Amino acid sequence: MPTVSVKRDLLFQALGRTYTDEEFDELCFEFGLELDEITSEKQIISKEQGNVKAEGASDVVLYKVDVPANRYDLLCLEGLARGLQVFKERIKAPVYKRVMPKGEIQKLIITEETAKVRPFAVAAVLRNIKFTKDRYDSFIELQEKLHQNICRKRALVAIGTHDLDTLSGPFTFTAKRPSDIKFKPLNKTKEYTACELMNIYKTDNHLKHYLHIIENKPLYPVIYDSNGVVLSMPPIINGNHSKITVNTRNIFIECTGTDFTKAKIVLDIIVTMFSEYCENQFTVEAAEVVSPNGKSSTFPELAYRKEMVRADLINKKVGIRESPANLAKLLTRMCLKSEVIGDGNQIEVEIPPTRADVIHACDIVEDAAIAYGYNNIQMTLPKTYTIANQFPLNKLTELLRLDMAAAGFTEALTFALCSQEDIADKLGLDISETKAVHISNPKTAEFQVARTTLLPGLLKTIAANRKMPLPLKLFEISDIVVKDSSKDVGAKNYRHLCAVYYNKNPGFEIIHGLLDRIMQLLDVPPSEEKGGYVIKASTGSAFFPGRCAEIFARGQSIGKLGVLHPDVITKFELTMPCSSLEINIEPFL
Amino acid sequence: MSACLFRDTYLHPLLKVRSQFRQIFLEMGFTEMPMDNFIENSWNVDGLFQPQQHPACDQHDAFFLKDPAEALQLPMDYVQRVKWTHSQGSYGSQGYKYTWKLEEARKNLLRTHSTAASARTLYSLAQKKPFTPAKYFSIDRVFRNETLDATHLAEFHQIEGVIANHGLTLGHLMGVLREFFTKLGITQLLFKPAYNPYTQPSMEVFSYHQSLKKWVEVGSSEVFRPEMLLPMGLPKNVSVIAWGLSLERPTMIKYGINNIRELVGNKVNTQMVYDSPVCSLDIEPRSPQTQEAA
């Protein structure tokens, strides 16, 4: 969940009243936000770097608010305050307008070279804007939040904001060889080529994460103005020339990327949020974008979409009985301006450009429910009469577990993921013989494969409990995984039962007795005949030679039992003899 | 005369709690879903209407498979409907309007949540005509490739309940949750709006913790989006409501355990297993165990 950090007093100023922490917490809860933390810059630095470094830092109270991941309109103080004000019916949602400029329209020309590296771009202008230090900080912070969220760490979209008064259009968005791009990047004092910058930023904690997006491409994206000044090299860094300051009055915004829909959404969000500070409040000056094929488009789109929803649909989905007029009022409080039309049962909902998250009628239903208040909805039970059924394999497992414990064994719960060694080398096998499923991105060796046997998990549990009084008798009934090309995903789970006996003597007769008991519980007679089980002497790399047997039942081999080989004992860091039993219980369903 | 120490016959506390939850669901008429496949493919996540570039699909959140790396078979007509819903929008939805890639969907991974398995069950339900209402549950393992700490492991268990029927409302979902949590001894519930890509509305469920004296999250609940249900072939006015919680959390609260590694995995102290009391979930939990003196 994204977190927005806002100065509490500034927020209360924007909201037009103060709240106690509890009152604000409740307001957040109602709206679907979470007041995660109340802190200050001083406290943050204190926590991270100690009290000495925190000396002189700001004491101003900060609210850290968690917002839903799809609400891009709540990612800054401006949007948060606006959303809450409309929710509390203190203001009406502003109407955002795109206006044509008095003079010539700003143009961004895209050349065909961008197609292979970063094909899409949109642009807009914020005219006669007034920043204060707080507004400026908020502007920069919003771009960062959008970059992290919807822009997927700048890979899908990157935002560039520039002081229009330092530049001269028309602007060109093209792609060039890195050695051919040379400019003074933000906050540096001299010019560098793109190659040099890639090297320099390898050690920059913030920018190094984005280099991979264009690093290996033959051409890097770059935006120039008509005098050859570099505005930016997206998605890495802007040029220093067009840097924005608190005194900037006119801003040129460009969003470039690989996802056109998201680029448009991001542009809409920035301009709607900050056009509040333009002289002509909530208006955004249009910019023209020319595609490589010559086609012209005007941005920002700032589209208002209308959707029709039936009042009774909302009532039915939520479980309330509000009049259409009331429902329209509830939706309007969520920035979805609505009115009752037609026969009185239809509600026309206007979805503003700030609510790109609303894509289906169910999103409208949810907003109506939030405005009504989830905790005001009457709780009822659905008339869904059904007879319950247990999953047969789980039913069998539950019955066996109880009887295993009754037989004197203790239940263990071990991990399904383990190292390759655990299921192969330590048991005297080669990994290729195991038909194991391999993980492609394990962080450590503990997550290399999914287990093909329950034995390693139980042996590791014994190793961690060596100090417990002997004998240690453990069991587990759980799933193992093997590759299986007959399944749609290529792998299958099998339910295994595994038991181990660890003591001064190996206790083979006890494990054998346990097997007989299990077969008795499963109603499988000891017999060569159909439906019975037999034990035949066998070999196994994990077992002591001459002390291993294979179990056959229902016409197939279901597993092995025996005394474990001393090598296995040692490899699992154990010191006493141990015998084990492992069978597949699925044939007994 | 001192008493003889009883040992030998112990069931694992987490699995005792699992048995209790199974019992609660069966008492409420829910049928257990097949969960015997840890391996899922990304396709199953897309089928839930979670967009392919969603943060939850990141390499660092899911365990992707090297072998077998890709699904061998996909139901192609269903795949086409899902592709259309994501990229162009349909069934009354605007969709996400991006380029949906089949190669992304074929990737195999260890399931990150049990909803992937619920989706399979709902798909099977949708193929049976005429539609009959159903109530399902599951309690099984899921896998997350996240940073590990005192309360997070790579493997944990999710509990999920699902109801599919005509005319289900948000009020019904809240009513079912009230009955479910009452059986756990939790009677005061608060619901908070939340966001999830494949559900709308979504709610987080909070209950009042007597000793901590604050509201704590006990689970999440939601109504599945039409974009997820309609491509499966479920009739238009059938709604599906669902809720979930982790198995480990209530177990740790019940048995007063602070570090999850003391509960799950091979490092578990078997003495803890020997000592854990009978599990009846509606009895007030014990206070956290005191630490041994340093």
Side-chain angles (χ1 to χ4, degrees):
Chain A
M1 253 193 151
T3 308
V4 185
S5 189
V6 293
K7 290 184 179 164
R8 180 196 62 188
D9 297 332
L10 272 184
L11 179 64
F12 287 168
Q13 208 174 48
L15 291 174
R17 60 158 278 193
T18 56
Y19 290 83
T20 62
D21 291 339
E22 289 76 36
E23 284 171 338
F24 191 71
D25 190 40
E26 267 174 40
L27 174 61
C28 286
F29 196 91
E30 234 189 296
F31 197 52
L33 309 172
E34 196 171 331
L35 180 57
D36 191 43
E37 207 187 338
I38 304 171
T39 180
S40 69
E41 203 183 284
K42 199 177 206 168
Q43 281 180 0
I44 298 174
I45 300 180
S46 209
K47 235 197 281 189
E48 289 171 11
Q49 298 172 48
N51 289 333
V52 177
K53 284 257 160 78
E55 286 292 322
S58 167
D59 255 334
V60 169
V61 175
L62 295 174
Y63 271 172
K64 285 196 170 197
V65 181
D66 278 349
V67 308
N70 64 337
R71 291 298 297 272
Y72 317 115
D73 61 319
L74 299 175
L75 284 176
C76 58
L77 179 142
E78 287 77 9
L80 203 51
R82 217 174 288 166
L84 289 170
Q85 290 287 70
V86 174
F87 185 58
K88 283 310 211 185
E89 289 181 287
R90 282 200 210 99
I91 63 168
K92 280 207 167 82
V95 180
Y96 306 102
K97 286 203 182 72
R98 181 179 76 194
V99 293
M100 295 311 262
K102 289 201 176 70
E104 249 199 71
I105 191 171
Q106 294 297 335
K107 258 197 200 150
L108 177 66
I109 302 161
I110 311 179
T111 70
E112 58 183 11
E113 285 85 356
T114 60
K116 291 228 176 74
V117 59
R118 209 163 174 84
F120 304 109
V122 293
V125 174
L126 286 173
R127 188 61 73 182
N128 292 322
I129 195 169
K130 193 129 194 304
F131 274 144
T132 60
K133 176 93 184 27
D134 286 318
R135 294 175 186 181
Y136 172 82
D137 288 342
S138 186
F139 188 61
I140 304 296
E141 193 48 30
L142 175 62
Q143 292 174 55
E144 214 12 66
K145 287 268 167 336
L146 289 169
H147 276 157
Q148 291 305 312
N149 267 296
I150 182 177
C151 302
R152 302 292 282 115
K153 298 207 179 78
R154 301 195 191 182
L156 299 184
V157 184
I159 308 161
T161 53
H162 311 277
D163 189 333
L164 188 55
D165 298 331
T166 64
L167 301 166
S168 142
F171 306 101
T172 311
F173 175 39
T174 182
K176 279 192 166 168
R177 278 187 314 199
S179 45
D180 294 339
I181 302 174
K182 191 165 186 198
F183 67 106
K184 195 195 299 183
L186 204 58
N187 297 327
K188 291 256 186 261
T189 47
K190 67 182 207 53
E191 291 198 338
Y192 296 94
T193 64
C195 311
E196 290 170 330
L197 287 176
M198 283 293 160
N199 262 327
I200 294 173
Y201 291 137
K202 273 200 173 57
T203 51
D204 181 306
N205 273 327
H206 180 52
L207 296 175
K208 65 183 182 187
H209 304 288
Y210 311 122
L211 301 179
H212 71 96
I213 302 171
I214 56 169
E215 208 167 13
N216 296 320
K217 305 272 182 191
L219 305 177
Y220 287 1
V222 60
I223 306 182
Y224 292 103
D225 80 345
S226 61
N227 293 327
V229 173
V230 170
L231 274 74
S232 63
M233 186 175 72
I236 310 297
I237 190 86
N238 285 353
N240 202 49
H241 183 103
S242 52
K243 178 176 170 173
I244 303 222
T245 68
V246 171
N247 300 318
T248 303
R249 296 283 289 156
N250 300 302
I251 306 180
F252 179 69
I253 307 170
E254 35 88 0
C255 297
T256 59
T258 51
D259 185 319
F260 192 40
T261 306
K262 296 201 167 72
K264 288 191 282 186
I265 294 174
V266 166
L267 184 68
D268 279 355
I269 294 291
I270 300 177
V271 300
T272 49
M273 293 296 111
F274 285 90
S275 53
E276 183 180 338
Y277 304 131
C278 289
E279 197 170 84
N280 208 344
Q281 236 194 5
F282 301 122
T283 63
V284 185
E285 186 178 298
E288 193 181 316
V289 176
V290 185
S291 320
N293 62 8
K295 183 158 168 273
S296 257
S297 314
T298 319
F299 294 102
E301 280 191 351
L302 289 184
Y304 278 83
R305 193 167 64 83
K306 286 207 159 83
E307 200 160 319
M308 301 282 272
V309 188
R310 289 165 55 93
D312 61 351
L313 176 82
I314 300 179
N315 279 329
K316 260 211 303 227
K317 290 277 177 194
V318 179
I320 54 178
R321 282 205 204 93
E322 289 290 293
S323 68
N326 274 348
L327 288 175
K329 249 176 91 175
L330 290 175
L331 289 170
T332 306
R333 281 175 60 200
M334 301 299 289
C335 290
L336 298 175
K337 198 168 91 166
S338 306
E339 55 176 6
V340 181
I341 64 161
D343 59 356
N345 197 18
Q346 298 269 35
I347 302 178
E348 189 183 72
V349 183
E350 188 185 71
I351 299 152
T354 47
R355 296 300 307 274
D357 58 293
V358 176
I359 57 178
H360 189 282
C362 62
D363 298 301
I364 296 172
V365 169
E366 186 193 54
D367 271 16
I370 294 176
Y372 184 84
Y374 279 0
N375 297 296
N376 296 329
I377 302 172
Q378 196 193 15
M379 301 194 216
T380 51
L381 282 177
K383 292 186 175 56
T384 314
Y385 303 113
T386 51
I387 305 289
N389 279 312
Q390 298 186 52
F391 186 55
L393 190 54
N394 288 353
K395 187 173 175 184
L396 178 62
T397 303
E398 287 290 291
L399 294 169
L400 280 176
R401 282 176 65 222
L402 294 174
D403 278 309
M404 289 291 286
F409 280 70
T410 297
E411 194 173 28
L413 176 64
T414 62
F415 294 125
L417 297 178
C418 58
S419 68
Q420 279 187 94
E421 267 193 344
D422 283 337
I423 57 167
D425 309 6
K426 289 189 188 169
L427 299 175
L429 291 171
D430 187 78
I431 189 72
S432 52
E433 299 172 71
T434 58
K435 290 207 286 188
V437 165
H438 290 250
I439 311 296
S440 77
N441 52 336
K443 283 204 174 101
T444 70
E446 289 304 305
F447 307 121
Q448 283 172 330
V449 292
R451 67 187 173 196
T452 52
T453 149
L454 297 177
L455 186 60
L458 290 183
L459 293 177
K460 289 202 274 196
T461 307
I462 297 183
N465 284 282
R466 259 180 304 235
K467 300 208 180 90
M468 297 297 295
L470 295 174
L472 277 171
K473 291 142 74 182
L474 301 181
F475 81 93
E476 186 170 5
I477 308 179
S478 187
D479 285 0
I480 60 122
V481 186
V482 285
K483 287 199 327 194
D484 184 334
S485 50
S486 69
K487 297 283 284 182
D488 64 341
V489 289
K492 188 173 171 358
N493 281 21
Y494 285 100
R495 187 64 54 88
H496 275 205
L497 179 159
C498 184
V500 290
Y501 179 91
Y502 182 76
N503 200 3
K504 296 198 179 82
N505 62 301
F508 181 70
E509 67 286 359
I510 297 184
I511 285 292
H512 187 176
L514 182 67
L515 173 69
D516 289 341
R517 174 72 186 137
I518 294 169
M519 290 296 129
Q520 188 182 45
L521 290 167
L522 293 169
D523 203 17
V524 180
S527 147
E528 286 267 11
E529 297 197 315
K530 198 166 176 236
Y533 78 100
V534 277
I535 306 177
K536 295 197 170 131
S538 177
T539 54
S541 58
F543 294 98
F544 204 95
R547 290 278 180 280
C548 168
E550 197 164 347
I551 310 146
F552 294 87
R554 303 272 160 101
Q556 51 181 284
S557 164
I558 58 161
K560 289 189 174 152
L561 78 162
V563 176
L564 292 179
H565 197 288
D567 283 351
V568 174
I569 307 282
T570 325
K571 285 188 183 145
F572 279 95
E573 294 168 29
L574 301 176
T575 52
M576 300 281 177
C578 183
S579 52
S580 80
L581 155 71
E582 185 166 0
I583 56 171
N584 174 2
I585 64 169
E586 294 193 20
F588 301 104
L589 282 174
Chain B
M1 206 175 159
S2 58
C4 164
L5 263 181
F6 265 79
R7 288 198 308 119
D8 288 357
T9 69
Y10 300 100
L11 291 172
H12 192 282
L14 189 76
L15 299 179
K16 286 203 278 205
V17 177
R18 186 180 71 178
S19 302
Q20 282 293 294
F21 273 106
R22 270 184 101 243
Q23 185 66 22
I24 290 172
F25 276 113
L26 293 169
E27 282 173 12
M28 291 173 73
F30 284 71
T31 289
E32 203 170 15
M33 290 187 270
M35 290 293 284
D36 53 340
N37 61 317
F38 290 160
I39 313 296
E40 266 304 345
N41 50 44
S42 301
W43 145 247
N44 223 273
V45 170
D46 293 354
L48 299 178
F49 200 56
Q50 180 165 296
Q52 283 179 333
Q53 298 125 350
H54 195 266
C57 295
D58 269 351
Q59 277 283 332
H60 54 257
D61 276 351
F63 286 106
F64 284 91
L65 297 193
K66 192 159 68 183
D67 179 25
E70 284 191 343
L72 302 175
Q73 309 150 31
L74 294 179
M76 284 321 282
D77 53 345
Y78 181 20
V79 169
Q80 280 307 327
R81 293 197 291 271
V82 169
K83 172 180 178 177
W84 195 254
T85 311
H86 276 234
S87 48
Q88 308 289 352
S90 65
Y91 305 108
S93 172
Q94 299 291 307
Y96 292 122
K97 296 204 165 54
Y98 68 101
T99 318
W100 186 86
K101 298 197 185 110
L102 186 61
E103 320 83 73
E104 284 296 312
R106 292 197 102 100
K107 287 187 187 161
N108 278 341
L109 41 70
L110 286 169
R111 66 181 176 215
T112 50
H113 47 55
S114 43
T115 318
S118 308
R120 278 182 188 263
T121 305
L122 288 171
Y123 181 73
S124 304
L125 178 69
Q127 309 318 305
K128 298 200 188 104
K129 313 276 182 207
F131 171 78
T132 45
K135 292 184 353 219
Y136 300 116
F137 81 94
S138 70
I139 307 174
D140 211 309
R141 224 177 274 235
V142 296
F143 303 84
R144 299 266 171 94
N145 193 4
E146 283 173 343
T147 331
L148 311 179
D149 60 30
T151 49
H152 293 93
L153 282 176
E155 307 175 30
F156 62 102
H157 294 74
Q158 275 192 337
I159 301 169
E160 182 153 326
V162 178
I163 306 180
N165 201 356
H166 299 282
L168 293 173
T169 70
L170 208 53
H172 286 146
L173 176 56
M174 293 161 72
V176 170
L177 286 168
R178 185 175 56 184
E179 293 307 315
F180 178 79
F181 281 102
T182 300
K183 284 180 181 284
L184 297 172
I186 295 171
T187 46
Q188 279 179 296
L189 289 180
L190 266 192
F191 298 89
K192 175 170 162 278
Y195 166 69
N196 202 358
Y198 47 86
T199 61
Q200 189 71 296
S202 325
M203 306 187 289
E204 279 164 8
V205 189
F206 287 76
S207 87
Y208 194 72
H209 199 285
Q210 294 297 344
S211 24
L212 290 178
K213 296 243 180 299
K214 65 176 197 164
W215 291 89
V216 288
E217 193 181 331
V218 291
S220 65
S221 63
E222 54 267 333
V223 180
F224 285 132
R225 288 186 77 106
E227 294 99 325
M228 171 187 161
L229 305 176
L230 295 172
M232 285 181 185
L234 283 170
K236 211 164 165 215
N237 50 8
V238 166
S239 313
V240 180
I241 56 178
W243 76 98
L245 58 158
S246 91
L247 182 63
E248 280 75 3
R249 205 148 174 276
T251 308
M252 284 167 73
I253 295 172
K254 176 86 193 155
Y255 289 101
I257 298 170
N258 289 323
N259 188 326
I260 198 171
R261 269 169 204 68
E262 291 169 33
L263 179 64
V264 184
N266 24 281
K267 296 211 167 67
V268 167
N269 185 344
T270 44
Q271 187 67 48
M272 183 274 298
V273 181
Y274 296 157
D275 290 344
S276 59
V278 95
C279 175
S280 188
L281 290 172
D282 49 357
I283 294 174
E284 184 64 29
R286 62 153 72 152
S287 49
Q289 303 201 336
T290 49
Q291 303 268 336
E292 269 178 47

